[in-house]
């Protein structure tokens, strides 16, 4: 059984905005935009309450067992949703989670906040 890559989307991100109680937050809007689109094969999307990237929201994380995990921030639903899905598709087919630089979506090149090694990895 092959596990899918998981795209975690912070649904509580305010992206530096003061949202009113009855307004949708930018993170929730990004989540809705991503889940309304055609999700790439090998990718699942999950909303999460917080990725602790508040000063760099809206934020997403991309993870899969045995692969590097990435956190991306400063995202906007209108500008970045399609690029995020393109990048998630490229990540899903990698062996280790590292997408060659030339093959990375523009968003993944410019909005990386963090890269975390696979659990138990001996990579230096």
């Amino acid at each position: 059984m092959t596990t899918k890559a998981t795209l975690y989307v912070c649904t509580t991100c305010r992206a530096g905005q003061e949202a009113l109680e009855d307004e949708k937050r930018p993170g929730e809007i990004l989540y809705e935009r991503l889940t309304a689109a055609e999700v790439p094969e090998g990718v699942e999307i999950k909303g999460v309450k917080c990725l602790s990237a508040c000063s760099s929201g809206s934020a997403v994380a991309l993870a899969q067992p045995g692969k590097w995990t990435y956190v991306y921030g400063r995202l906007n639903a209108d500008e970045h949703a399609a690029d995020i899905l393109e990048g998630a598709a490229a990540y899903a087919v990698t062996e280790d989670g590292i997408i060659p630089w030339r093959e990375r979506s523009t968003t993944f090149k410019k909005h990386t906040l963090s890269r975390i090694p696979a659990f138990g990895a001996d990579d230096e």
Side-chain angles (χ1 to χ4, degrees):
M1 181 177 144
T2 305
T3 59
K4 292 184 175 188
T6 303
L7 179 65
Y8 296 99
V9 183
C10 179
T11 59
T12 56
C13 276
R14 292 181 188 248
Q17 300 176 11
E18 289 297 322
L20 300 175
E21 288 302 315
D22 59 344
E23 290 181 330
K24 287 186 181 180
R25 294 178 181 206
E28 185 179 3
I29 294 167
L30 178 60
Y31 174 76
E32 289 175 353
R33 183 76 47 87
L34 292 168
T35 56
E38 185 175 336
V39 179
E41 186 175 333
V43 176
E44 65 180 338
I45 300 173
K46 292 185 178 181
V48 293
K49 294 291 181 195
C50 185
L51 289 174
S52 288
C54 302
S55 63
S56 298
S58 293
V60 301
L62 193 52
Q64 189 170 357
K67 296 184 179 185
W68 285 81
T69 295
Y70 289 83
V71 180
Y72 302 97
R74 301 176 308 279
L75 302 171
N76 174 295
D78 294 330
E79 295 175 35
H80 302 116
D83 223 19
I84 292 167
L85 293 172
E86 176 187 322
Y91 174 89
V93 298
T94 65
E95 194 171 306
D96 57 6
I98 300 173
I99 305 166
W101 183 258
R102 291 182 183 168
E103 297 173 24
R104 290 183 193 174
S105 68
T106 302
T107 299
F108 281 16
K109 287 179 182 177
K110 295 184 176 186
H111 294 265
T112 305
L113 299 180
S114 179
R115 171 176 111 131
I116 304 153
F119 183 77
D122 289 332
D123 193 46
E124 292 184 19

